Amino acid sequence: MINSSVSSDDSVVATAAASAGADVVRSLYGRRLTRIDKGAGDFATAADVEAEKAIVDVLRAARPDDAVVGEEGGQQGTADAARQWLVDPLCGTLNYAVGSMLVAVNVALRDGAAAVADPFSGEVFFTDGTSAWVRREGVDEPLAPTSSTSLVDVNLDPPFIGRPGFRAVDLLAHPAFVERFRPRVVSTTLALAWVAAGKRAAYVTDGGDLTGSVHFAAGIALCRAAGCVVTGIDGAPTGPAGRGLVVAADTETHGQLMSMIRG
């Protein structure tokens, strides 16, 4: 763990923070955990809260002047701080609560470094904003996107902002999709890291501007740095006017998905 404010690379800070959160998530797995109701069927667990605390502790020690926005704790630090960290301590809470290990810990410096930790594989995917790597058992390797798996993760969770023009369920039933790809639904943005790592060919989700989301910012940063094609569901660049995400390992795969979406 980083325990001082001595200058160090932001990717080191992001990786240490995500790893600290992953340690908590892994240690509490399988226990009966208190649930915090968020309404509309959504909830957090004690693991979400404790993991976020561990992440924020790392960020505070390494970057005391930076602001932090957490999924559970909200804004910490001044809202007009020059640097802001976005933290999702447990992406896939519903999975986790029923004993599924498909979860991620996301930490991203807005417009900068980011890390996504898989608590159960032990992998940490990270970027300095320019290049992207995965750390396995202390060894770092560059991320290499590829569409060879033909697996496409599609987020089917609401809100469905794009309807009626776009519905993910329609994409899954498109004849060309069935012929070319195989759908997967893991219900966690770990799937974005998998696109960057070559474990998935693409990822598709409805929504608005997701670039500043605690759920998506780290995964988007990884995919961009790894060389993936990242746009909205309308094919336009992501940003304030963005609409969801289509993230593909290569231009060909992205083009195929966009033709199905537009069709």
Side-chain angles (χ1 to χ4, degrees):
M1 180 179 292
I2 296 173
N3 55 17
S4 76
S5 59
V6 174
S7 178
S8 60
D9 188 276
D10 286 328
S11 66
V12 175
V13 176
T15 301
S19 297
D23 288 345
V24 173
V25 170
R26 187 169 52 252
S27 70
L28 295 178
Y29 178 73
R31 300 187 187 183
R32 185 182 295 275
L33 299 173
T34 302
R35 295 190 180 190
I36 302 102
D37 183 30
K38 294 184 176 182
D42 192 16
F43 61 89
T45 70
D48 299 69
V49 175
E50 290 302 315
E52 183 167 309
K53 181 179 183 300
I55 292 167
V56 172
D57 284 348
V58 173
L59 296 177
R60 280 277 166 262
R63 297 289 187 266
D65 296 327
D66 293 356
V68 177
V69 177
E71 163 88 18
E72 310 308 330
Q75 177 78 40
Q76 300 182 48
T78 59
D80 60 350
R83 290 160 47 96
Q84 184 182 72
W85 294 87
L86 305 171
V87 174
D88 183 358
L90 178 48
C91 187
T93 300
L94 290 171
N95 289 345
Y96 187 80
V98 297
S100 171
M101 295 181 178
L102 291 172
V103 301
V105 177
N106 299 322
V107 178
L109 176 64
R110 189 183 288 272
D111 301 320
V116 176
D118 181 337
F120 299 104
S121 74
E123 295 173 310
V124 183
F125 308 89
F126 64 98
T127 176
D128 59 2
T130 302
S131 302
W133 302 269
V134 60
R135 180 168 297 164
R136 299 185 183 95
E137 298 181 350
V139 178
D140 296 346
E141 299 177 0
L143 291 180
T146 174
S147 59
S148 60
T149 66
S150 296
L151 300 177
V152 175
D153 257 297
V154 181
N155 181 16
L156 299 179
D157 291 337
F160 306 118
I161 296 173
R163 65 182 180 185
F166 170 79
R167 296 197 312 165
V169 292
D170 293 337
L171 177 63
L172 298 182
H174 195 293
F177 186 95
V178 174
E179 181 179 345
R180 170 67 179 85
F181 300 112
R182 293 293 177 268
R184 291 293 184 273
V185 181
V186 301
S187 298
T188 168
T189 53
L190 180 62
L192 273 172
W194 287 351
V195 177
K199 298 182 180 185
R200 292 289 190 268
Y203 176 86
V204 180
T205 183
D206 198 350
D209 173 21
L210 301 178
T211 56
S213 165
V214 296
H215 307 292
F216 291 93
I220 291 172
L222 276 174
C223 289
R224 283 177 170 159
C228 301
V229 182
V230 181
T231 72
I233 57 173
D234 53 0
T238 57
R243 295 179 52 206
L245 287 174
V246 178
V247 179
D250 51 51
T251 302
E252 180 182 0
T253 300
H254 184 269
Q256 291 173 335
L257 287 169
M258 288 309 308
S259 68
M260 298 172 203
I261 291 170
R262 289 168 173 157

